[in-house]
């Protein structure tokens, strides 16, 4: 579906989606989902009220968004909701046509529930229920990403950011371009950095430049798009260990003019000799 809904249409569609989710919980009764009148200035768009086992109610305060970039997520989480009726539990919820994995991560980090029109959701009401499903593809048109992280050139930018010696480094785009030479243009650096900033992996600094904000999540995002088939992969096994294996490598490299490398867990045998392993892999 490439048609962009009006805000009112989106709220109605999300309200219907939420009702369908709650109706799927057979033991849950006497709940209701209503659109909030704009004249009340409640700060949210939908209100779902659910009875609690010990008495009182839980309130799902749903903020409806056509689109929300991860970099702007904090503008939503800074809000506080105070629905009428003094519910015992107030759960902030994000509703969108499609919630990306990155936005879902940020919701989890900030204690928000969420759902979308594709049928993905995570609704968590402490003491009452936990509903979760992910993996459905978008049913509405999504904006294409501004950068392709799967290319070798983009990978050099990401690798530079993730290198342990650079984790707290303050970068400028020019510094990054010079660091990633050759064949990485300033235009490509600009495109990748804008995308990573949009996805809230980077943080702009008051004194200028930027630094890495969330290294582990960036590593996962890179992993998800990384293309292994561009590399030739071969498997070997040897019974040689320690010095004998080092000498064999040295003789091989000197005759062929090539190079060899250890896997990290094998290199540890030399970097930390007190750690012993039953096998050596290369």
């Amino acid at each position: 579906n490439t048609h962009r809904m009006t805000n009112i249409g989106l709220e109605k569609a999300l309200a219907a989606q939420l009702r369908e989710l709650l109706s799927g919980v057979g033991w849950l009764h006497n709940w209701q989902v209503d659109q909030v009148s704009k004249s009340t200035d409640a700060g949210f768009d939908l209100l779902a009220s659910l009875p609690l086992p010990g008495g009182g109610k839980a309130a799902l305060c749903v903020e409806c968004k056509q689109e929300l970039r991860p970099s702007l997520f904090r503008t939503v989480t800074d809000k506080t909701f105070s629905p009428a009726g003094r519910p015992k539990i107030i759960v902030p919820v994000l509703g969108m046509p499609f919630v990306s994995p990155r936005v879902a991560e940020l919701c989890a980090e900030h204690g928000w529930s969420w759902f979308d029109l594709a049928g993905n959701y995570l609704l968590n009401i402490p003491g009452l229920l936990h509903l979760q499903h992910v993996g459905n593809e978008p049913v509405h048109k999504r904006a294409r990403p501004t950068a392709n992280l799967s290319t070798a050139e983009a990978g050099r930018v990401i690798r530079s950011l993730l290198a342990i010696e650079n984790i707290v480094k303050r970068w400028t785009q020019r510094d990054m371009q010079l660091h990633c030479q050759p064949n990485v243009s300033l235009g490509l650096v600009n495109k990748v950095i804008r995308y990573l900033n949009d996805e809230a992996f980077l943080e702009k600094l008051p004194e200028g430049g930027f630094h890495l904000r969330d290294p582990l999540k960036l590593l996962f995002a890179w992993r998800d798009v990384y293309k292994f088939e561009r590399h030739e992969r071969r498997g070997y096994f040897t019974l040689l260990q320690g010095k004998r294996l080092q000498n064999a490598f040295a003789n091989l490299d000197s005759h062929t003019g090539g190079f060899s490398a250890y896997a990290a867990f094998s290199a540890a045998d030399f970097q930390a000799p007190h750690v012993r392993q039953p096998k050596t892999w290369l």
Side-chain angles (χ1 to χ4, degrees), residues 73 77 94 99 102-114:
F73 188 81
T77 58
L94 177 65
V99 173
R102 179 59 178 157
V103 170
E105 287 176 354
L106 293 172
C107 284
E109 290 175 12
H110 291 83
W112 278 57
S113 291
W114 59 269

Side-chain angles (χ1 to χ4, degrees), residues 3 21 31 41 43 50 61 73 80-81 87 93 102 140 160 164 210 212 220 228-229 234 271:
H3 177 66
L21 290 178
W31 53 265
D41 194 26
L50 302 91
C61 301
F73 188 81
T80 56
F81 301 138
V93 183
R102 179 59 178 157
H140 290 77
S160 299
I164 190 64
F210 58 89
L212 183 59
F220 290 161
F228 286 96
E229 65 271 14
R234 299 188 182 189
Q271 296 171 346

Side-chain angles (χ1 to χ4, degrees), residues 17-277:
Q17 185 78 353
L18 184 55
R19 292 187 186 102
E20 184 177 342
L21 290 178
L22 296 178
S23 64
V25 183
W27 52 264
L28 187 63
H29 304 286
N30 300 321
W31 53 265
Q32 64 182 55
V33 176
D34 299 301
Q35 289 182 255
V36 178
S37 172
K38 300 304 179 185
S39 62
T40 63
D41 194 26
F44 52 92
D45 305 300
L46 306 175
L47 176 63
S49 298
L50 302 91
L52 294 171
K57 291 186 176 182
L60 301 182
C61 301
V62 184
E63 176 90 358
C64 299
K65 293 285 186 183
Q66 293 277 1
E67 185 178 1
L68 179 66
R69 302 305 304 161
S71 58
L72 299 176
F73 188 81
R74 289 189 178 183
T75 62
V76 174
T77 58
D78 287 343
K79 294 183 177 182
T80 56
F81 301 138
S82 300
R86 296 184 179 181
K88 286 187 176 180
I89 298 176
I90 299 175
V91 180
V93 183
L94 177 65
M96 294 174 60
F98 180 75
V99 173
S100 70
R102 179 59 178 157
V103 170
E105 287 176 354
L106 293 172
C107 284
E109 290 175 12
H110 291 83
W112 278 57
S113 291
W114 59 269
F115 68 100
D116 64 22
L117 296 179
N120 304 299
Y121 50 85
L122 190 156
L123 295 178
N124 183 36
I125 305 175
L128 183 63
L129 59 81
H130 181 96
L131 304 175
Q132 183 173 6
H133 175 79
V134 295
N136 291 357
E137 292 297 321
V139 293
H140 290 77
K141 184 179 179 181
R142 296 176 61 197
R144 296 184 62 182
T146 56
N148 181 2
L149 301 188
S150 68
T151 67
E153 293 76 16
R156 288 164 69 177
V157 175
I158 298 173
R159 191 178 291 111
S160 299
L161 287 167
L162 291 174
I164 190 64
E165 65 271 17
N166 296 335
I167 288 295
V168 296
K169 179 180 174 66
R170 182 181 75 86
W171 294 94
T172 66
Q173 293 190 23
R174 176 63 69 181
D175 292 337
M176 179 62 74
Q177 192 258 339
L178 294 174
H179 184 82
C180 295
Q181 289 286 3
N183 301 327
V184 176
S185 68
L186 188 60
L188 183 137
V189 170
N190 176 266
K191 185 179 294 186
V192 173
I193 295 305
R194 280 193 294 112
Y195 175 75
L196 296 181
N197 183 67
D198 226 19
E199 292 292 296
F201 292 124
L202 304 179
E203 184 174 19
K204 292 183 179 179
L205 300 174
E207 63 271 26
F210 58 89
H211 70 177
L212 183 59
R213 177 181 177 185
D214 201 338
L216 186 60
K217 296 296 174 57
L218 175 57
L219 180 63
F220 290 161
W222 189 29
R223 172 203 63 189
D224 292 341
V225 299
Y226 194 86
K227 295 182 179 179
F228 286 96
E229 65 271 14
R230 73 161 64 102
H231 305 291
E232 184 179 8
R233 306 183 70 188
R234 299 188 182 189
Y236 298 95
F237 175 78
T238 180
L239 295 175
L240 298 179
Q241 296 182 2
K243 189 65 175 177
R244 293 179 62 195
L245 180 58
Q246 283 184 303
N247 291 337
F249 273 145
N251 291 333
L252 176 66
D253 293 346
S254 64
H255 284 91
T256 63
F259 65 92
S260 50
Y262 286 93
F265 44 84
S266 300
D269 188 44
F270 303 104
Q271 296 171 346
H274 58 283
V275 179
R276 297 300 177 191
Q277 300 181 47

